Amino acid sequence: MRRSDRLFEIIQILRDGQLHRAQDIAAQLEVSTRTIYRDMDTLVASGIPVEGERGVGYMVREQITLPPLNLTPAELEALNLGMAIVAEAADPDLKSAALSLADKVDAVLPTQTRAEADAWKFAVYPFADAARGFSHMATLRAAIKARQKLDLTYRRIDGMLSQRKIRPLHMEYWGRVWTLTAWCEHREAFRVFRVDLIEEARALPELFVDEPGKRISDYKPYDS
């Protein structure tokens, strides 16, 4: 399993809000406890709201708060780069939000010299390819709002393509990667898809309604 895929699996384990010991996660993913410790450090550095410590356990906070921040020049460049990437998204709502956020950041910044282009070359963590999924964001978000079924062409972690007919239910952002929680009509079960691994998303002329057992409120993290 690639490290990026293992990090995604760790997120799925932690998202139930419970405390998980590193030893148990390591056993489930068939790696060493030391590897899980390193992965947790990477998740925290990538912006995932992970709490815990070695020897005790780890969990993901339910809410993310943003208190006043003091940014280093490199961190500011990283923020600007992220906003620039989102501003290129096909989703007009996300593009507008990125531009609005950029204006708010600029409004509170002191006058300063802009860093040279090399400053954009900040440390990249394993989810840095998440921008590949931006082209599908408008389709996914519109389908969730309209309760419209989708036909997905999805690249599994083994590299093989899979065709899925789904009911899109919910999207989440995990620091460097977007995920889509959906009811898969082929598997007759909930599935979580990494948006950056979606090759094609096509809206179908079929709507769906809430059904017991198939709603987002029925989904139990990592039960699939």
Side-chain angles (χ1 to χ4, degrees):
M1 182 184 293
R2 296 181 306 172
R3 191 182 186 210
S4 59
D5 297 325
R6 188 175 66 249
L7 291 173
F8 176 71
E9 291 300 321
I10 292 174
I11 290 173
Q12 297 307 299
I13 294 172
L14 296 178
R15 64 186 293 172
D16 64 1
Q18 302 299 312
L19 188 69
H20 294 269
R21 298 190 311 160
Q23 299 95 309
D24 297 332
I25 299 174
Q28 188 167 343
L29 300 181
E30 300 181 341
V31 296
S32 69
T33 301
R34 185 181 297 273
T35 294
I36 296 300
Y37 287 152
R38 290 197 298 265
D39 288 345
M40 289 301 179
D41 291 340
T42 297
L43 290 175
V44 171
S46 296
I48 307 298
V50 174
E51 288 185 343
E53 59 184 79
R54 301 183 181 190
V56 177
Y58 298 90
M59 63 186 298
V60 170
R61 299 193 305 270
E62 293 184 359
Q63 296 183 347
I64 301 175
T65 58
L66 292 177
L69 300 175
N70 293 316
L71 301 181
T72 67
E75 289 171 341
L76 178 60
E77 292 299 321
L79 177 61
N80 283 326
L81 176 57
M83 291 187 293
I85 293 174
V86 176
E88 296 301 318
D91 190 319
D93 291 339
L94 287 178
K95 182 173 182 177
S96 176
L99 296 175
S100 175
L101 177 58
D103 289 340
K104 292 179 180 179
V105 171
D106 287 341
V108 297
L109 285 179
T111 302
Q112 57 181 299
T113 303
R114 291 294 179 182
E116 297 295 331
D118 283 347
W120 295 100
K121 299 176 182 178
F122 59 99
V124 178
Y125 291 94
F127 296 146
D129 58 355
R132 288 188 299 167
F134 285 163
S135 61
H136 305 301
M137 296 293 274
T139 299
L140 299 180
R141 294 175 72 233
I144 291 173
K145 291 179 181 178
R147 298 175 181 266
Q148 187 170 19
K149 296 181 181 180
L150 293 174
D151 180 35
L152 286 190
T153 301
Y154 187 73
R155 185 170 298 280
R156 303 184 323 214
I157 60 175
D158 61 5
M160 300 294 291
L161 291 179
S162 175
Q163 206 71 25
R164 303 290 184 91
K165 183 177 180 180
I166 67 167
R167 300 181 180 197
L169 301 174
H170 182 64
M171 291 184 68
E172 292 179 282
Y173 182 58
W174 295 93
R176 300 277 178 176
V177 65
W178 283 92
T179 61
L180 170 68
T181 302
W183 175 264
C184 179
E185 300 203 340
H186 175 66
R187 300 291 186 184
E188 295 188 348
F190 290 104
R191 287 292 184 267
V192 178
F193 301 94
R194 276 174 48 180
V195 174
D196 60 305
L197 296 182
I198 295 175
E199 297 288 332
E200 183 178 0
R202 184 171 62 89
L204 298 174
E206 301 178 44
L207 302 180
F208 62 89
V209 297
D210 282 342
E211 294 182 38
K214 300 180 180 180
R215 303 163 298 192
I216 188 62
S217 59
D218 299 315
Y219 174 64
K220 299 296 185 290
Y222 215 67
D223 64 357
S224 58

